[in-house]
């Protein structure tokens, strides 16, 4: 039980992506962690690292899952670093509506930054799944094995 006011949806969109009922780009998936290519790109090769099972916020992440998630974050960051011109990598994570969490399934953002640029806040265009599939194709060669 959490004191945070979390986003609630009738059904979790991340879980729908993972169970295949909704189309989305899944860059990689292990037993415990999945890496999604977000349709709201706020940096270069912006991905989301999430538990493969539904977990609402960081407050429900135990040590084992935390280790698996961090391993996923490092693998994602390595893939992002392999993209052309990436000079920095931002990692961020929001909990509760007050902190701008929009989907109630814990997720870590990993995004590259080119020299002189920064990650984008506020509204960004929503890419098609074909476009995020193309980003995944660029990231995949740089993604280390588990
Ligand atoms: Zn979920």
């Amino acid at each position: 039980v959490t004191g945070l006011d979390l986003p609630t949806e009738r059904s979790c969109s991340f879980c729908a992506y993972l169970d295949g009922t909704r189309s989305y780009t899944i860059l990689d998936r292990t037993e415990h962690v999945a890496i999604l290519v977000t349709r709201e790109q706020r940096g270069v090769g912006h991905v989301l690292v999430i538990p493969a099972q539904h977990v609402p916020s960081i407050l429900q992440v135990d040590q084992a899952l935390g280790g698996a998630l961090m391993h996923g974050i490092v693998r994602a960051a390595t893939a992002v670093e392999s993209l052309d011109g990436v000079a920095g990598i931002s990692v961020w994570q929001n909990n509760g509506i007050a902190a701008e969490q929009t989907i109630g399934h814990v997720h870590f953002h990993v995004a590259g930054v080119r020299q002189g640029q920064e990650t984008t806040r506020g509204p960004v265009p929503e890419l098609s799944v074909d476009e995020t599939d193309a980003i995944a194709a660029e990231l995949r060669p740089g993604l280390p094995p588990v």
Side-chain angles (χ1 to χ4, degrees):
V1 176
T2 169
L4 299 186
D5 189 12
L6 292 167
T8 52
E9 295 175 328
R10 193 175 299 272
S11 64
C12 172
S13 48
F14 286 170
C15 287
Y17 304 151
L18 292 179
D19 72 18
T21 55
R22 287 174 65 181
S23 178
Y24 211 77
T25 301
I26 299 173
L27 174 64
D28 187 69
R29 186 175 186 166
T30 65
E31 184 185 355
H32 299 293
V33 175
I35 305 174
L36 311 179
V37 180
T38 177
R39 295 174 66 182
E40 296 181 4
Q41 290 284 302
R42 298 177 178 283
V44 182
H46 182 178
V47 299
L48 306 174
V49 180
I50 71 171
Q53 282 74 41
H54 186 82
V55 176
S57 84
I58 201 167
L59 299 179
Q60 291 81 36
V61 174
D62 64 18
Q63 186 170 6
L65 178 57
L69 285 167
M70 182 53 76
H71 184 56
I73 290 164
V74 172
R75 291 178 64 235
T78 303
V80 167
E81 196 269 341
S82 76
L83 298 178
D84 247 18
V86 168
I89 300 164
S90 291
V91 177
W92 71 96
Q93 199 273 324
N94 305 320
N95 302 281
I97 292 167
E100 302 180 49
Q101 182 180 6
T102 54
I103 294 177
H105 183 139
V106 64
H107 52 286
F108 291 78
H109 297 259
V110 180
V113 181
R114 294 201 169 100
Q115 202 69 49
Q117 298 184 335
E118 56 189 23
T119 54
T120 309
R121 290 183 67 94
V124 292
E126 187 171 328
L127 301 187
S128 68
V129 173
D130 281 349
E131 289 171 307
T132 54
D133 280 351
I135 293 169
E138 292 176 25
L139 286 165
R140 200 161 276 122
L143 186 70
V146 176

